[in-house]
Amino acid sequence: MRTIDDIRLANLETLITEQGGDSGGVTRLAELMGHNTSAQISQWRNRSPNSKTGKPRTISTASARKLERLCGKREGWMDHADDQ
C-alpha cells in the first residue's frame, strides 16, 4: 500500500507536468508557491534528507493544500491516488 508521502509525490509529478514539464514545471510551481528558487520543489521531488533530522523531505499537509489551491485542484486532490 502506498503511503501519503508516495501519493503526494506522484501527484507533485503530475503538477510539474501540467506546469510545463521537467525543469520548467518545477520552476513554475516554485514561483506559484512564492519561492525565489526551485530548491523546495526539487527537495520534495528528490526526497532530499532534512539536514536536522536526516529524514527525507516530504510535502506537508499545508503545502499540499497550497499547491492544490494554486493549481486549481479540489481540496484533498494531492492525497488521492489515481484521482487525476
Side-chain angles (χ1 to χ4, degrees):
M1 180 162 200
R2 292 169 50 186
T3 67
I4 191 69
D5 294 328
D6 293 333
I7 293 167
R8 286 179 179 170
L9 182 60
N11 288 336
L12 177 67
E13 290 298 333
T14 298
L15 294 178
I16 289 168
T17 299
E18 289 177 356
Q19 293 298 318
D22 212 17
S23 64
V26 170
T27 301
R28 179 69 183 133
L29 282 179
E31 290 170 354
L32 286 172
M33 294 285 289
H35 299 295
N36 293 329
T37 70
S38 59
Q40 181 67 64
I41 306 296
S42 295
Q43 289 171 353
W44 289 334
R45 195 176 193 199
N46 298 321
R47 293 190 173 181
S48 300
N50 181 305
S51 60
K52 293 179 183 175
T53 67
K55 294 181 181 179
R57 293 182 189 270
T58 58
I59 302 167
S60 69
T61 299
S63 292
R65 298 298 83 87
K66 185 174 182 179
L67 282 165
E68 292 161 353
R69 191 173 56 255
L70 294 170
C71 293
K73 303 295 184 187
R74 65 175 172 70
E75 186 173 330
W77 180 87
M78 289 287 293
D79 299 343
H80 297 279
D82 305 316
D83 186 21
Q84 310 305 316

